[in-house]
Amino acid sequence: MTARRDRAGTSTNREKARNPVADYRAHDLTVLPFTEAVKGGPYQHARGECVKDSLEKIGVWDRSFTASQLIERMDAVGIDKALVKAHAADTWEVPFEVVSELAAAYPDRIYGLAGVKPSGDIMEGVRQLERGIRDHGFVGAMGYPHWHRLPPDDRAWYPFYAKCVELDVPLQLQAGLAFQNSRRSLGFPSAFDTVAVDFPELKLIGVHTGYPWERELVAVAWKNANVYIGADSVPASRWAPELVDYIKGDGREKVLFGTNYPCLDFAQGLAEVDELGLAAETRELLLRGNLERVYGFAG
């Protein structure tokens, strides 16, 4: 597939014609590539990862989708664009082609993220990351410290940080608790501070809300202009008061909405954001504007 570098998707009015909640026109920072092929392949057979067990534990194992089904679910609640990750662990990965096909089916709605693998052949991993951006048209990268048994400030990550700076793409890293029983939690926000200082040009997003260390992640994002927070996976009713206060104040341009769908339902995610009582401009930045700016989408 040729690279798809035009990030300025085309908006339509079909959501508004069907559903009054479509005025959200929100963007979702994190969506799993939960096709039947991924469900029955990497997620089902991930060696030692307990991916299936984790998804069963939260009751979403039956929520796989095709590209058209994902768009239908997005349209039903007014999600405009979704970033879908071709993520990777040390023993398994979602092929880039899976996410490329989803994105190709709806090029103005679905965008891919390249999974990074610092736990194997590092230089081949860096070349693979570059292929994801240049050949598959992915708009960013995604990494999981616990799946590679490497904290974010481990030197094995550094070539990937440098490549993201070179390619001018954001990098999402899980910040917070590792949900899989087989993996130790390594995404401590304090490590993000080290990375941000060493790579001030890197757009670094700590995703999965930083739970349960949101206060620490807020401090790191406040300090470093290049660090952002992905408020996803955890519904807004469970966001720490420090995170909510940050969104309403100094961090109104630093936090990006997401669901990690299907881990958090689109409708629940949006409804609980509404219950925060945000000012209209702050709500728009959280749900849409901050992602457009960080990822270079047209407004």
Side-chain angles (χ1 to χ4, degrees):
M1 178 181 297
T2 57
R4 176 166 54 83
R5 302 303 298 166
D6 180 7
R7 304 179 186 178
T10 58
S11 61
T12 71
N13 293 321
R14 62 181 178 275
E15 293 97 337
K16 289 187 177 181
R18 286 205 302 263
N19 197 311
V21 302
D23 68 337
Y24 283 116
R25 296 189 68 236
H27 301 324
D28 197 317
L29 180 69
T30 59
V31 172
L32 294 178
F34 204 12
T35 66
E36 278 296 311
V38 172
K39 177 181 178 179
Y43 288 177
Q44 176 85 30
H45 302 294
R47 179 162 48 88
E49 295 290 353
C50 303
V51 177
K52 178 182 178 183
D53 292 346
S54 298
L55 294 173
E56 286 182 330
K57 182 177 181 180
I58 60 176
V60 301
W61 183 244
D62 62 345
R63 296 185 188 174
S64 61
F65 50 74
T66 63
S68 61
Q69 288 171 334
L70 176 61
I71 293 298
E72 288 174 2
R73 297 172 193 181
M74 291 165 57
D75 282 350
V77 295
I79 297 287
D80 189 9
K81 303 183 191 302
L83 305 188
V84 180
K85 47 201 175 183
H87 49 176
D90 55 352
T91 59
W92 62 272
E93 62 187 290
V94 174
F96 285 0
E97 289 74 15
V98 171
V99 174
S100 289
E101 290 176 5
L102 290 172
Y106 293 90
D108 62 338
R109 306 292 302 281
I110 300 173
Y111 297 81
L113 301 175
V116 297
K117 296 191 68 172
S119 53
D121 182 330
I122 291 177
M123 283 312 302
E124 176 54 29
V126 170
R127 286 188 285 267
Q128 182 176 351
L129 167 60
E130 184 163 11
R131 288 193 293 270
I133 304 302
R134 297 196 186 280
D135 298 341
H136 293 271
F138 293 167
V139 297
M142 179 76 203
Y144 292 89
H146 65 279
W147 277 350
H148 298 283
R149 297 184 172 91
L150 295 168
D153 55 358
D154 189 280
R155 64 182 183 178
W157 289 98
Y158 275 49
F160 297 93
Y161 299 151
K163 180 56 69 172
C164 285
V165 171
E166 177 186 326
L167 297 171
D168 189 26
V169 295
L171 172 66
Q172 299 184 22
L173 281 182
Q174 177 162 341
L177 191 71
F179 193 70
Q180 290 75 24
N181 293 334
S182 62
R183 296 287 167 160
R184 295 181 177 88
S185 298
L186 295 171
F188 301 110
S190 57
F192 284 63
D193 185 51
T194 301
V195 175
V197 171
D198 288 346
F199 293 89
E201 298 175 62
L202 175 66
K203 289 175 281 190
L204 181 61
I205 307 169
V207 297
H208 297 1
T209 313
Y211 173 83
W213 303 294
E214 298 101 318
R215 185 178 185 184
E216 184 177 334
L217 186 57
V218 164
V220 174
W222 175 84
K223 174 192 172 185
N224 298 285
N226 58 322
V227 175
Y228 301 86
I229 298 174
D232 68 283
S233 295
V234 179
S237 60
R238 291 172 48 199
W239 292 356
E242 292 84 359
L243 176 57
V244 176
D245 289 344
Y246 186 58
I247 292 169
K248 292 180 177 180
D250 292 341
R252 58 200 298 271
E253 295 186 349
K254 298 294 292 288
V255 184
L256 291 68
F257 168 80
T259 62
N260 205 35
Y261 186 82
C263 296
L264 176 62
D265 184 71
F266 290 138
Q268 180 187 3
L270 290 169
E272 294 205 8
V273 165
D274 273 353
E275 293 173 3
L276 296 176
L278 302 177
E281 184 180 356
T282 301
R283 173 180 173 273
E284 191 278 337
L285 287 169
L286 172 65
L287 293 180
R288 181 182 182 91
N290 292 337
L291 188 147
E292 289 179 346
R293 187 181 67 258
V294 173
Y295 276 91
F297 290 112

